[in-house]
Amino acid sequence: MTPTPQSLSGLWPFIRPYRWQVACAGLFLVLAAGTTLAFPWALRTLIDQGLVEGANADVLATKFVELFLVAVALAIFSAARFYTVSWLGEKITVDVKNKVYAHVLQQSPTFFETTQSGEVLSRLSSDATLIQTVVGSSLSMGLRNLVMGVGAMAMLVWTNPWLMFQVMAVLALVVFPSVYLGRRVRRLSRASQDRAADSSALASEVLNAISVVQSYTAEGRETQRFADSTAQALGTSLRRVRARSLLVGFIIVASSAALLWGLYMGALSVRAGTTTAGELGQTVVYVILLASAFAVLGEVYGDVLRAAGATERLMELLHTRSDVRSPDHPQHAPWLVNGSSLVLRDVNFNYPSRPTQQALNGLCGEVQAGQTVAIVGPSGAGKTTLFSLLMRFYAPQHGEVLLDGVPIAQMDLSDLRQRIGVVPQEPVVFSGSVMDNIRYGKPDATDKEVHAAAEAAFAHEFIAELPQGYDTAVGRDGLTLSGGQAQRVGLARAIYGQPKFVVLDEPSSSLDQAGEQQLIDMVTALKKQGVTFVLMTHRKNLIEVADKALVLRDGVQQSFGSRDEVMATLMLQAGGA
């Protein structure tokens, strides 16, 4: 859809809280425009009264003082307008970015299957900058010139209607070509912003996987891919620049023609004695103001169209509704002391991006409070997919998952996820200190609570050996930590809030043999405290800790039962293989 200036109406909810500041900006804008329109009148009185033969020096000085006072008033009102409008632009842009970012964080993984994070970042940066430019500068300039243009037109009609009729006939010739060129600029502006977002998305993807890129010596190929993407963006941008340059040039030529025509007709009037020199000067300045207003409005219109496209793109993000969200009237499950129960009832699921490929099929089973269940299977069996369903990142197409007797689809998302401690397959460490990472889920935690969680996760020893201990900065993505250390920090974060239900997705993937044994000791100790564990694993040692096991293969449940029964089945399958 081609953006139009009406697309800026999407910003109204963000403008409304600052309506008094908008009113002040409008007042200063009108006063600045009115002061500018008063300048030709002061100039006319200077010429007709101060420069006529016989006028004394005091009159001439008075007229120049009047001109200076007009200039002072113009400076004051213009400065006030500039500050108020710039302040509005900064505040509104920050509010838009914060709102969009907060909304994006609430989207389910389905959203990120079709929208790259680099594109979101591009919208939050370049598109927001365009909006800030228009709201904080261009729009104000356009409104100011619109007021000046209308005022100059009114003064010309009042002082010299016949001349104004001729000038308007010339200016009318500007409108139709400008509309055509403006539409082309509008289309190319949206296309240019889309191509720029594509380049940002590509760069973000590659930079986030830089170690893989360098491992395969693909730097040259990725550089060429980025160069091709930026070349497409450049081509689109240059077409937009050419169209906009043609629009601006045409408006300036047409406006200059109107100005010169008015000057020529005014000069003829002075020679005929029907107009004074002061009236001619006043008319010329008004025509200049009118022509320059049209020229500026043409330039601003291009900015407005670009901002309209940027607004549409941001509003698209803001109006996106997550396919997984809290119900209007959620059910509340009791917080049990001895752990949480889990029930799977004929769960079927396929990813939205792969609607014909079943990821899970017919999962059934029940885990009592305080028990540990191992979800067993080879890579690609569906273990991580089941993890995503338990956290309700996705919703199954058929069947249901119950936690403590309540379907998780009927639970408030915040309530559900606060009940569950999570360690994903890939350890996630945020920039900041070790302390910040462990208390991520509960920022107001005491140091003593954090230390206790680290000790339970067998992380305290290595943390104490870091240069600043718990206050050591771990760098972006935890680059200063080894994989095993990052895994332990993730374990400490998961058990820190003392949840009664913990999901560990391949928790020993980054741990050595000693670390795996420490993990087993941690699970065993917490089981005694009534914690229910779900272990997504293929490690035999971890399966032996479980009370029950569910075996998956290609998303299909092979067996579900006690640990010993499942282990015997697995051994038979291995022997048969």
Side-chain angles (χ1 to χ4, degrees):
M1 185 176 64
T2 303
T4 64
Q6 286 76 19
S7 300
L8 292 174
S9 62
L11 297 176
W12 176 241
F14 300 94
I15 297 174
R16 188 183 298 116
Y18 305 109
R19 51 187 175 273
W20 290 111
Q21 289 86 343
V22 171
C24 289
L27 175 63
F28 292 136
L29 184 148
V30 171
L31 290 174
T35 307
T36 303
L37 293 172
F39 191 86
W41 172 83
L43 179 63
R44 189 198 73 180
T45 59
L46 169 65
I47 295 174
D48 287 344
Q49 298 178 25
L51 300 180
V52 296
E53 187 176 351
N56 58 43
D58 292 340
V59 173
L60 181 62
T62 300
K63 297 306 176 184
F64 271 105
V65 169
E66 290 176 354
L67 275 175
F68 177 72
L69 292 177
V70 171
V72 170
L74 176 60
I76 293 173
F77 296 141
S78 296
R81 175 194 62 83
F82 176 80
Y83 174 80
T84 308
V85 170
S86 298
W87 184 90
L88 282 169
E90 297 284 349
K91 290 289 291 183
I92 291 170
T93 303
V94 168
D95 290 348
V96 170
K97 291 171 69 174
N98 291 343
K99 183 73 172 179
V100 172
Y101 183 71
H103 186 73
V104 168
L105 291 185
Q106 297 174 5
Q107 300 305 303
S108 71
T110 303
F111 170 83
F112 295 99
E113 287 184 19
T114 56
T115 306
Q116 293 179 303
S117 59
E119 181 179 350
V120 174
L121 294 175
S122 174
R123 297 190 187 192
L124 287 173
S125 56
S126 59
D127 288 356
T129 300
L130 278 174
I131 292 175
Q132 179 180 344
T133 300
V134 169
V135 175
S137 176
S138 299
L139 189 60
S140 169
M141 188 183 303
L143 291 173
R144 177 175 174 269
N145 280 276
L146 179 62
V147 173
M148 285 200 314
V150 172
M153 190 182 303
M155 293 300 296
L156 285 171
V157 170
W158 180 51
T159 58
N160 200 330
W162 171 240
L163 176 61
M164 187 58 219
F165 173 77
Q166 298 176 69
V167 171
M168 287 301 298
V170 176
L171 290 176
L173 300 176
V174 180
V175 174
F176 298 106
S178 298
V179 170
Y180 170 76
L181 292 173
R183 288 176 178 172
R184 179 167 175 76
V185 170
R186 187 169 63 223
R187 291 193 299 270
L188 291 173
S189 295
R190 177 61 188 260
S192 176
Q193 290 161 250
D194 288 340
R195 299 293 77 74
D198 292 342
S199 298
S200 297
L202 175 61
S204 176
E205 179 183 35
V206 172
L207 292 176
N208 286 335
I210 188 62
S211 59
V212 176
V213 173
Q214 293 177 347
S215 298
Y216 286 92
T217 63
E219 297 93 331
R221 296 198 305 273
E222 294 300 345
T223 299
Q224 186 59 48
R225 284 182 64 201
F226 185 74
D228 293 341
S229 178
T230 54
Q232 291 183 1
L234 176 62
T236 305
S237 297
L238 290 178
R239 288 196 297 272
R240 172 183 58 80
V241 170
R242 285 195 293 270
R244 188 172 178 183
S245 299
L246 183 60
L247 173 62
V248 172
F250 174 78
I251 290 175
I252 291 175
V253 169
S255 301
S256 299
L259 168 63
L260 294 174
W261 177 258
L263 182 60
Y264 173 70
M265 296 303 295
L268 292 179
S269 297
V270 173
R271 292 186 61 182
T274 57
T275 302
T276 67
E279 290 173 338
L280 174 61
Q282 174 183 266
T283 300
V284 168
V285 176
Y286 279 132
V287 172
I288 291 175
L289 291 176
L290 180 61
S292 63
F294 268 82
V296 172
L297 286 172
E299 179 75 12
V300 168
Y301 187 61
D303 288 338
V304 169
L305 292 178
R306 294 186 67 197
T311 301
E312 277 193 356
R313 286 158 53 86
L314 286 170
M315 292 306 108
E316 284 174 4
L317 288 180
L318 195 57
H319 295 152
T320 301
R321 286 181 59 82
S322 175
D323 57 334
V324 175
R325 52 187 179 272
S326 298
D328 295 332
H329 304 288
Q331 296 184 33
H332 182 73
W335 285 76
L336 304 179
V337 176
N338 60 339
S340 294
S341 63
L342 173 68
V343 177
L344 303 176
R345 290 181 179 171
D346 195 20
V347 174
N348 291 352
F349 173 74
N350 54 263
Y351 287 99
S353 58
R354 290 167 282 171
T356 60
Q357 182 179 351
Q358 198 116 50
L360 294 174
N361 186 11
L363 268 61
C364 295
E366 180 176 356
V367 181
Q368 300 296 329
Q371 288 185 327
T372 296
V373 61
I375 312 298
V376 185
S379 297
K383 301 189 298 294
T384 299
T385 300
L386 179 56
F387 165 81
S388 297
L389 293 185
L390 294 179
M391 295 301 299
R392 205 164 170 246
F393 296 144
Y394 296 96
Q397 281 79 28
H398 182 267
E400 60 182 357
V401 180
L402 288 80
L403 187 67
D404 294 329
V406 177
I408 63 173
Q410 301 301 320
M411 296 177 66
D412 180 78
L413 279 178
S414 178
D415 181 33
L416 168 67
R417 292 169 182 171
Q418 286 178 358
R419 293 169 177 265
I420 304 175
V422 177
V423 179
Q425 184 171 353
E426 295 294 332
V428 176
V429 179
F430 300 96
S431 60
S433 67
V434 175
M435 180 77 73
D436 294 334
N437 271 277
I438 296 177
R439 60 158 56 118
Y440 185 77
K442 187 180 177 185
D444 57 347
T446 65
D447 292 355
K448 183 178 180 180
E449 291 173 322
V450 172
H451 293 169
E455 289 175 356
F458 297 93
H460 177 76
E461 183 176 349
F462 91 81
I463 294 174
E465 295 176 354
L466 294 175
Q468 285 82 41
Y470 283 85
D471 295 325
T472 301
V474 297
R476 184 180 64 86
D477 296 331
L479 292 177
T480 62
L481 300 179
S482 68
Q485 290 173 335
Q487 192 88 46
R488 286 183 175 87
V489 170
L491 287 167
R493 180 196 299 144
I495 64 175
Y496 154 69
Q498 297 182 336
K500 293 302 179 181
F501 190 90
V502 177
V503 180
L504 307 179
D505 186 8
E506 296 289 0
S508 59
S509 59
S510 299
L511 300 177
D512 55 19
Q513 187 172 0
E516 185 174 309
Q517 184 58 51
Q518 290 176 340
L519 173 64
I520 293 172
D521 294 342
M522 182 196 78
V523 172
T524 303
L526 291 177
K527 279 181 62 177
K528 295 177 180 179
Q529 300 176 23
V531 177
T532 302
F533 278 96
V534 176
L535 306 176
M536 316 283 185
T537 185
H538 61 276
R539 298 284 186 94
K540 180 181 177 181
N541 290 348
L542 286 177
I543 299 175
E544 291 177 346
V545 181
D547 302 298
K548 294 183 176 180
L550 185 154
V551 181
L552 294 176
R553 184 177 294 274
D554 297 327
V556 179
Q557 179 173 323
Q558 300 292 307
S559 62
F560 180 79
S562 69
R563 174 195 60 203
D564 295 336
E565 293 172 346
V566 171
M567 288 292 291
T569 302
L570 291 174
M571 291 178 66
L572 287 174
Q573 291 177 349

